Amino acid sequence: VQLQASGGGLVQTGDSLSLSCAAPPERTFSRYSVAWFRQAPGKEREFVAAIRRSGGHKYYGDSVKGRFTISRDNGKNTVHLQLNSLKPEDTAVYYCAARTLVSEVIVSAIRLRESYDSWGQGTQITVSP
């Protein structure tokens, strides 16, 4: 599944941004668990947030908890990531990912890159001091 991530940009510390991850119209996004990861230069790709297909439970990385919010818009076949109170350490390329397999992602593996089989191209967020 080809995912399309958008919404990145250059902002200042304390600003907000909203990212979107869209699936093709022929794919029912609500059937997938969806996650956001990010990767800063020279660092490993890091889990940011996820929303499960079953029950819509949400999970967040420790560094973004309380500042970022993941949500679904099933009518638009889109998952959003609202980023508030941005910090310079949030600077990274942000990727959305989906698990399109028949089996649901288990909670203990929801933060793992290997749990997701479809990835978007990434969108850059730069937060200036």
Side-chain angles (χ1 to χ4, degrees), residues 62-111:
D62 290 340
S63 61
V64 307
K65 202 172 296 183
R67 299 188 298 123
F68 293 7
T69 303
I70 190 170
S71 62
R72 289 187 184 274
D73 185 340
N74 291 334
K76 295 183 178 180
N77 223 27
T78 302
V79 169
H80 298 287
L81 183 68
Q82 177 67 34
L83 302 85
N84 297 329
S85 303
L86 283 162
K87 306 174 182 179
E89 50 264 44
D90 294 319
T91 295
V93 177
Y94 284 70
Y95 299 89
C96 64
R99 181 178 177 89
T100 68
L101 303 178
V102 171
S103 60
E104 167 67 294
V105 60
I106 59 176
V107 174
S108 60
I110 204 162
R111 293 172 172 79

Side-chain angles (χ1 to χ4, degrees), residues 7-64:
L10 173 63
V11 296
Q12 296 183 332
T13 297
D15 284 352
S16 297
L17 273 179
S18 180
L19 302 183
S20 295
C21 179
E26 64 272 19
R27 296 281 185 166
T28 305
F29 219 9
S30 60
R31 294 181 179 176
Y32 308 145
S33 292
V34 179
W36 287 92
F37 289 77
R38 67 185 182 186
Q39 189 165 17
K43 294 188 176 181
E44 295 288 321
R45 195 166 293 190
E46 174 190 19
F47 171 79
V48 175
I51 184 166
R52 292 186 86 208
R53 74 182 191 196
S54 304
H57 297 292
K58 304 174 184 180
Y59 303 84
Y60 297 95
D62 290 340
S63 61
V64 307

